[in-house]
């Protein structure tokens, strides 16, 4: 059998005789295959969105220094010429300004497959070329990545590995308080690939057990068939503080747990009681902020301490201003309840946000493509990219450090789409024109590829062979090639091989191995890892032939923080006190007004709490039909659009008050920008919110002299600011907008066609 794999699932290749007849179908043992896969082939085979030949931006050839980077046409060139330009430009920038002026942070999800992981290839190449400025943390959960080591003594990754298994929750938990829900929508995805989607069936089992399931979220669909607490967005910290307050007032705080396993409780307690700031964090106080009923909060507080309870949070909650606070307050609440370290109860982060979180799995650190060492130590927190470009030499704070932004002359981006993922894209366009050169490897004419100076066409996973090897997934797959590369696309490995040849270090880059030899090498190293784990991998030949290997005994249930709780003296946490810190001296000493030393209610920079009556809160979460911007041009995503525009969800009463109907085209706007969307009505969203998923390909135009994104990309509306001076994560979920009917003629999309490209001159 032949297979391929993606972040949204693993597939059998079903008809592999001629290119046009090829199809894929999910693994037969996947209980809930993702809908995203249905749009994969059509997206990858769409000639209007694939980059067929290397291209160079016209203005760059004419020496415009980036000025016209966001609105230019291209000239097609041969691979030879493209490689020559890219190599000599890298060389020029290095010689003139040093490697610290090359930004290779290049964030993004790229594709599944161990060898062809685009960022690994880029980093290996740039490291050999003298290094680059990198990026830290993720757009997914930067606040957690930075704060967990302080308060929990674990990296976010280690905590995720340790997450209490969902089957234990099903078995033991009596009340599951899920902030941002637990959603099958986001659980379609697992980084590096997934062979099975199990979250929907865990949720069914939980429901069948009559567990009290509470979905604290502005959207009902975040946890179907549960009790919906339609909280006002960005106020979860207030609810969490009030739950703690009511537990304390009722004399039900688990003092034993607090004493043995936490530090700083007295400081947090004084804050809860209002002793330190004059405001008691009571349920009456929180009810007004959260738009919930005080008696419900009080009753819930008492139930949480008298039953087996789990406090769970989605990743999305911390992608907001002061995103550290709900994480810390949720952990603190779980400490007051005192059921951490026991089966199925306590505190969890990310159930449903990604398929593997809480999955009973055997974790195996498989080998990957070695990247070498980066001689440049400078980095930025990933979401500070626009600030870096706009304020070279400017200072910012990050995790207790005062840091300086480098001056960037050259950006090299692979496997990511910053014109999908970054906030305030209108400002980002300005920032993006600052460097002298931008080089992008892409398979599709994404908004980022359209804003590059040198565009190097890459293959998709379906056009090459690879191995799906994921630390959290029990299935190893040999990924077969389905099609020949479209146009002149090349694998990223081949592209960097040619570049390193031009720069004189090909042999260091390839280690004299071709692709097949690399796959063999990775497999051989994997065999060693397997042996250490007590099982044997088949030979490479038989793996290629069979296509699939399943790790034995792959189901392991863990309980978060179990060893610490069972013996805190022998297994202390790696925090300043060896315990969970409810007041953290290190963070307090940073003296950050936006991240004090204990969980604190801080009003967001923009929220419904101080909104005008006609403003709505924008929720821009992950799309159901695609992975971010990937496959947006595929059939599944396009079928979901309204008149080719991304659907926006609004409550019917809100729509009616504005004279809007299902199917209308609307303009969603604020001071930062405006976009069009197609209207869909739903009673499952708060009346003061509007939801527009991320990922519609960015298509900014000038309509009647005003800038308008015509496709439905929410990042023209979001705020480009850090969560706090501690972690500098993005705050995509914090934004207010206004909505009105679009009555002017509907502008055509430009991203449905390639950019303007001039064919290569004969004599070039
Ligand atoms: N408003 C708002 N914005 C958000 C979020 C939000 O919740 N709200 N979420 C944020 C989050 S959590 C994330 S993770 C980011 C995601 O942001 P990204 O990861 O940047 O988004 P993707 O669309 O997955 O971009 C991956 C790109 O890699 C390309 N690619 C795929 N395979 C290959 C390959 O083999 N080689 C090369 N060269 N290229 C390849 C794809 O064509 C695609 O353009 O978005 C963030 N942005
Ligand atoms: N289908 C699909 N799945 C994906 C992805 C994708 O692109 N498509 N991307 C993957 C990636 S990279 C990531 S990081 C994860 C992200 O996974 P999540 O971060 O969990 O997903 P989001 O959709 O951003 O947010 C989840 C929910 O949080 C709720 N929410 C927003 N603001 C608030 C608030 O203030 N309070 C509360 N209580 N709830 C709030 C929203 O209603 C939203 O539906 O998803 C992964 N899964
Ligand atoms: Mo993410």
């Amino acid at each position: 059998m032949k297979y391929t794999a993606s972040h949204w699932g693993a597939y059998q290749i079903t008809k592999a005789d001629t290119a046009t007849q090829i199809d894929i179908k999910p693994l037969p043992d996947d209980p809930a295959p993702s809908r995203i896969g249905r749009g994969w082939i059509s997206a990858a085979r769409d000639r209007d969105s694939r980059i067929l030949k290397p291209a160079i931006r016209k203005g760059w050839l004419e020496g415009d220094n980036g000025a016209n980077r966001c609105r230019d046409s291209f000239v097609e060139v041969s691979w030879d010429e493209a490689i020559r330009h890219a190599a000599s430009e890298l060389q020029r920038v290095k010689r003139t300004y040093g490697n610290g002026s090359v930004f290779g942070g290049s964030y993004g999800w790229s594709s599944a497959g161990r060898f062809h992981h685009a960022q690994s290839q880029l980093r290996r190449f740039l490291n050999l070329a003298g290094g680059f400025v990198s990026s830290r943390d993720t757009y997914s959960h930067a606040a957690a990545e930075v704060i967990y080591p302080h308060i929990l003594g674990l990296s976010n990754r280690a905590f995720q590995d340790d997450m209490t298994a969902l089957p234990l929750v099903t078995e033991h938990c009596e009340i599951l308080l899920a902030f941002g829900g637990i959603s099958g929508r986001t659980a379609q995805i697992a980084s590096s690939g997934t062979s099975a989607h199990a979250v929907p069936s865990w949720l069914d089992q939980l429901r069948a057990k009559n567990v009290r399931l509470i979905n604290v979220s502005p959207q009902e669909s975040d946890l179907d068939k549960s009790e919906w607490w339609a909280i006002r967005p960005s106020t979860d910290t207030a609810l969490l503080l009030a739950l703690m307050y009511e537990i304390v007032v009722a004399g039900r705080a688990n003092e034993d747990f607090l004493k043995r396993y936490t530090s700083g409780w007295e400081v947090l307690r004084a804050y809860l009681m209002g002793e330190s700031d004059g405001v008691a964090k009571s349920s009456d106080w929180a009810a007004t902020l959260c738009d919930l009923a005080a008696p419900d909060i009080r009753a819930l507080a008492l139930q949480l301490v008298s039953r087996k309870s789990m406090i769970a949070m989605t990743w999305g909650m911390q992608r907001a201003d002061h995103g550290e606070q709900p994480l810390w307050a949720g952990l603190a609440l779980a400490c007051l309840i005192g059921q951490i370290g026991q089966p199925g109860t306590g505190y969890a982060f990310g159930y449903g946000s990604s398929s593997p979180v809480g999955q009973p799995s055997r974790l195996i650190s498989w080998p990957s493509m070695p990247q070498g060492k980066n001689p440049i130590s400078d980095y930025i927190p990933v979401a500070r990219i626009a600030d870096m470009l706009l304020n070279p030499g400017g200072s910012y704070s990050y995790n207790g450090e005062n840091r300086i932004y480098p001056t960037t002359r050259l950006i090299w981006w692979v496997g990511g789409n910053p014109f999908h993922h970054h906030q305030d894209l209108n400002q980002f366009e300005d920032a993006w024109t600052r460097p002298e050169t931008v080089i992008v490897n892409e398979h599709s004419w994404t908004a980022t590829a359209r804003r590059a100076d040198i565009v190097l066409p890459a293959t998709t996973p379906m056009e090459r062979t690879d191995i799906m090897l994921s630390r959290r997934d029990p299935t190893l797959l040999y990924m077969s090639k389905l099609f020949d590369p479209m146009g002149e696309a090349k694998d990223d490995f081949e592209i960097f091989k040619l570049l390193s040849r031009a720069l004189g270090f090909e042999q260091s880059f390839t280690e004299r191995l071709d692709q097949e030899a690399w796959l063999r090498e990775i497999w051989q190293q994997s065999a060693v890892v397997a042996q250490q784990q007590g099982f044997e991998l088949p030979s490479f030949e038989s793996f290629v032939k069979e296509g699939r290997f399943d790790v034995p005994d792959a189901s392991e249930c863990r309980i978060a923080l179990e060893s610490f709780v069972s013996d805190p003296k022998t297994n202390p946490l790696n925090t300043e006190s060896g315990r969970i810190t409810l007041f953290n001296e290190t963070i307090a000493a940073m003296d950050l007004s936006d991240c004090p030393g204990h969980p604190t209610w801080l009003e967001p920079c923009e929220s419904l709490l101080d909104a005008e009556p006609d403003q709505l809160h924008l929720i821009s979460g992950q799309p159901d039909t695609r992975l971010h911007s990937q496959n947006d041009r595929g059939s599944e995503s396009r079928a979901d659009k309204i008149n080719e525009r991304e659907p926006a969800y609004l409550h019917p009463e809100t729509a009616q008050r504005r004279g809007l109907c299902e199917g209308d085209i609307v303009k969603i706007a604020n001071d930062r920008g405006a976009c069009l969307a197609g209207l869909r009505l739903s009673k499952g969203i708060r009346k003061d919110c509007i939801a527009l998923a991320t990922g519609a390909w960015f298509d900014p135009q000038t309509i009647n002299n005003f800038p308008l994104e015509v496709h439905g990309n929410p990042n023209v509306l979001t705020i480009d600011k850090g969560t706090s001076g501690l972690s500098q994560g993005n705050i995509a979920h914090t934004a207010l907008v206004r909505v009105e009917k679009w009555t002017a003629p509907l502008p055509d999309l430009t991203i449905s066609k390639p950019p303007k490209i001039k064919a290569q001159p004969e004599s070039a």
Side-chain angles (χ1 to χ4, degrees):
M1 184 55 78
K2 285 189 174 357
Y3 298 92
T4 188
S6 64
H7 300 301
W8 48 85
Y11 296 87
Q12 295 178 337
I13 302 171
T14 48
K15 285 186 275 174
D17 40 359
T18 70
T20 46
Q21 283 185 3
I22 282 182
D23 208 354
I24 52 172
K25 76 172 190 239
L27 294 189
D29 41 338
D30 184 344
S34 158
R35 65 184 289 195
I36 298 171
R38 293 184 219 146
W40 188 15
I41 291 189
S42 53
R45 304 289 292 170
D46 178 24
R47 285 190 81 83
D48 281 333
S49 40
R50 288 296 300 276
I51 304 169
L52 302 174
K53 289 184 172 184
I56 301 197
R57 191 173 64 77
K58 193 166 157 284
W60 185 81
L61 285 170
E62 292 160 2
D64 77 352
N65 249 329
N68 206 22
R69 186 166 289 138
C70 294
R71 298 285 183 280
D72 210 351
S73 60
F74 291 86
V75 181
E76 258 168 16
V77 296
S78 66
W79 266 109
D80 275 357
E81 205 175 331
I83 294 292
R84 217 169 37 239
H85 274 298
S88 65
E89 185 57 8
L90 178 62
Q91 195 76 308
R92 181 190 71 83
V93 168
K94 275 171 43 177
R95 289 214 176 111
T96 320
Y97 307 107
N99 282 72
S101 65
V102 176
F103 182 73
S106 198
Y107 179 82
W109 266 63
S110 198
S111 286
R114 202 66 166 185
F115 173 66
H116 288 289
H117 181 243
Q119 279 86 357
S120 304
Q121 298 285 350
L122 172 70
R123 287 181 213 128
R124 182 177 168 86
F125 165 74
L126 285 180
N127 284 342
L128 288 166
F132 62 97
V133 174
S134 59
S135 63
R136 285 256 171 112
D137 312 325
T138 64
Y139 277 73
S140 313
H141 34 50
E145 284 161 270
V146 180
I147 201 169
Y148 278 159
H150 290 287
I151 63 176
L152 206 48
L154 290 172
S155 68
N156 180 60
R157 180 181 150 109
F159 184 42
Q160 184 174 325
D161 284 350
D162 200 32
M163 204 66 68
T164 300
L166 283 163
L168 296 176
V169 179
T170 314
E171 197 181 330
H172 299 281
C173 179
E174 293 166 331
I175 172 164
L176 174 59
L177 184 59
F179 287 83
I182 298 177
S183 169
R185 168 179 53 90
T186 40
Q188 291 180 85
I189 298 296
S191 167
S192 307
T194 179
S195 56
H197 296 83
V199 168
S201 62
W202 298 129
L203 288 173
D204 287 343
Q205 288 171 40
L206 265 176
R207 292 186 188 106
K209 292 251 330 209
N210 258 333
V211 176
R212 186 175 179 201
L213 279 178
I214 305 178
N215 172 30
V216 184
S217 171
Q219 293 198 90
E220 190 175 19
S221 60
D222 284 336
L223 184 49
D224 295 331
K225 293 180 246 158
S226 67
E227 228 175 282
W228 181 26
W229 283 37
I231 193 167
R232 182 178 282 135
S234 308
T235 64
D236 306 82
T237 305
L239 172 59
L240 288 157
L241 293 169
L243 289 168
M244 288 189 257
Y245 174 94
E246 297 298 343
I247 289 172
V248 174
V249 168
R252 299 292 304 276
N254 190 327
E255 297 291 345
D256 285 345
F257 189 95
L258 290 166
K259 214 166 130 204
R260 283 191 76 181
Y261 302 109
T262 73
S263 62
W265 165 231
E266 327 68 53
V267 184
L268 176 59
R269 188 182 194 285
Y271 171 70
L272 291 172
M273 294 301 112
E275 289 158 19
S276 48
D277 67 348
V279 182
K281 311 302 174 301
S282 66
S283 48
D284 292 311
W285 165 80
T288 341
L289 293 168
C290 306
D291 193 18
L292 296 170
D296 293 348
I297 300 175
R298 272 193 293 275
L300 175 61
L302 295 182
Q303 220 181 53
L304 287 171
V305 285
S306 41
R307 294 206 203 161
K308 290 186 175 176
S309 52
M310 170 63 92
I311 312 299
M313 309 198 140
T314 51
W315 293 345
M317 288 234 340
Q318 47 81 68
R319 231 174 287 124
D321 200 18
H322 311 126
E324 299 84 2
Q325 301 309 317
L327 298 182
W328 202 354
L331 177 63
L333 171 62
C335 289
L336 262 73
I337 299 169
Q339 300 174 5
I340 290 174
Q342 297 170 28
T345 58
Y347 173 74
F349 179 54
Y351 287 154
S353 294
S354 163
S355 169
V357 183
Q359 201 101 255
S361 58
R362 179 171 178 177
L363 300 169
I364 302 176
S365 292
W366 298 110
S368 52
M369 178 88 177
Q371 294 173 14
K373 232 183 120 42
N374 186 353
I376 302 291
S377 58
D378 202 3
Y379 66 86
I380 57 161
V382 69
R384 299 276 50 82
I385 171 104
D387 283 357
M388 172 186 79
L389 298 173
L390 291 167
N391 310 305
S395 69
Y396 65 99
S397 86
Y398 170 72
N399 202 9
E401 278 183 57
N402 219 336
R403 301 181 54 85
I404 304 291
Y405 289 121
T407 305
T408 305
R409 311 284 177 170
L410 186 148
I411 294 180
W412 202 311
W413 216 290
V414 300
N417 187 359
F419 280 93
H420 157 75
H421 66 232
H422 198 59
Q423 285 55 63
D424 197 350
L425 288 180
N426 289 324
Q427 174 182 270
F428 190 51
E429 282 207 302
D430 177 22
W432 193 253
T433 61
R434 304 299 168 96
E436 291 168 22
T437 297
V438 175
I439 307 177
V440 167
N441 302 18
E442 248 297 349
H443 54 63
S444 296
W445 279 115
T446 61
T448 302
R450 286 165 204 253
R451 286 161 182 74
D453 302 327
I454 303 177
V455 184
L456 305 172
T459 51
T460 69
M462 288 190 274
E463 295 158 339
R464 59 200 187 210
T465 50
D466 209 330
I467 302 177
M468 171 181 137
L469 263 182
S470 160
R471 170 183 162 66
R472 299 186 171 94
D473 199 272
T475 301
L476 279 46
L477 290 178
Y478 183 74
M479 297 163 60
S480 290
K481 177 170 154 179
L482 282 78
F483 315 107
D484 284 330
M486 196 178 267
E488 294 179 14
K490 286 186 191 293
D491 305 334
D492 293 291
F493 172 76
E494 297 298 329
I495 297 174
F496 290 120
K497 182 171 118 182
L498 293 174
L499 284 157
S500 39
R501 181 179 303 164
L503 291 165
F505 55 79
E506 178 181 357
Q507 289 184 1
S508 312
F509 181 75
T510 62
E511 295 181 33
R512 296 171 204 254
L513 302 180
D514 64 9
Q515 294 202 24
E516 204 209 297
W518 269 109
L519 294 184
R520 255 174 212 283
E521 172 67 23
I522 291 173
W523 190 252
Q524 261 142 27
Q525 289 176 19
S526 303
V528 177
V529 172
Q531 225 153 33
Q532 289 158 355
Q533 295 270 336
F535 60 92
E536 295 283 329
L537 289 188
S539 69
F540 184 68
E541 285 69 23
S542 83
F543 178 56
V544 172
K545 190 155 165 278
E546 296 298 321
R548 172 174 178 165
F549 175 81
D550 290 284
V551 169
D553 308 317
S555 180
E556 283 176 11
C557 281
R558 279 173 291 277
I559 297 170
L561 302 171
E562 188 182 24
S563 62
F564 164 64
V565 168
S566 67
D567 188 350
K569 291 252 154 35
T570 317
N571 310 309
L573 296 177
N574 189 21
T575 59
E576 61 187 22
S577 62
R579 286 167 277 157
I580 296 171
T581 61
L582 302 183
F583 171 78
N584 187 289
E585 290 177 13
T586 314
I587 294 178
M590 292 177 195
D591 200 21
L592 299 164
S593 60
D594 52 9
C595 190
H598 58 73
T600 304
W601 163 249
L602 301 164
E603 229 180 87
C605 61
E606 206 168 287
S607 84
L608 290 168
L609 295 169
D610 57 7
E612 305 284 327
D614 64 335
Q615 284 182 308
L616 301 169
H617 180 100
L618 172 72
I619 300 163
S620 59
Q622 312 295 10
D624 194 26
T625 57
R626 52 182 183 259
L627 173 63
H628 317 128
S629 69
Q630 298 189 50
N631 298 356
D632 185 39
R633 301 305 299 154
S635 55
E636 192 69 8
S637 172
R638 287 173 69 176
D640 190 48
K641 307 224 179 195
I642 296 168
N643 237 324
E644 295 188 295
R645 317 298 136 149
E646 189 64 19
Y649 292 81
L650 198 62
H651 194 280
E653 279 180 33
T654 314
Q656 199 188 15
R657 254 183 281 124
R658 287 167 170 76
L660 301 171
C661 302
E662 171 102 14
D664 278 353
I665 297 298
V666 292
K667 181 175 102 171
I668 311 175
N670 59 24
D671 292 345
R672 292 172 291 273
C675 70
L676 298 183
L679 200 63
R680 208 164 273 162
L681 303 183
S682 162
K683 286 191 178 146
I685 184 166
R686 275 180 64 96
K687 291 174 193 163
D688 49 9
C689 291
I690 185 166
L692 176 65
T694 59
W697 279 19
F698 179 55
D699 195 346
Q701 301 183 14
T702 303
I703 306 290
N704 303 331
N705 294 323
F706 285 101
L708 180 72
E709 200 286 325
V710 305
H711 192 195
N713 186 314
N715 276 328
V716 294
L717 304 163
T718 50
I719 305 171
D720 184 3
K721 175 187 153 323
T723 44
S724 78
L726 181 79
S727 33
Q728 297 287 6
N730 77 80
I731 62 163
H733 277 309
T734 301
L736 293 176
V737 297
R738 290 186 167 84
V739 61
E740 62 184 61
K741 193 167 163 133
W742 179 258
T743 49
L746 191 58
D748 288 336
L749 299 182
T750 61
I751 48 80
S752 55
K753 293 271 173 280
K756 278 203 194 81
I757 306 173
K758 211 169 105 197
Q760 188 180 6
E762 285 306 316
S763 60

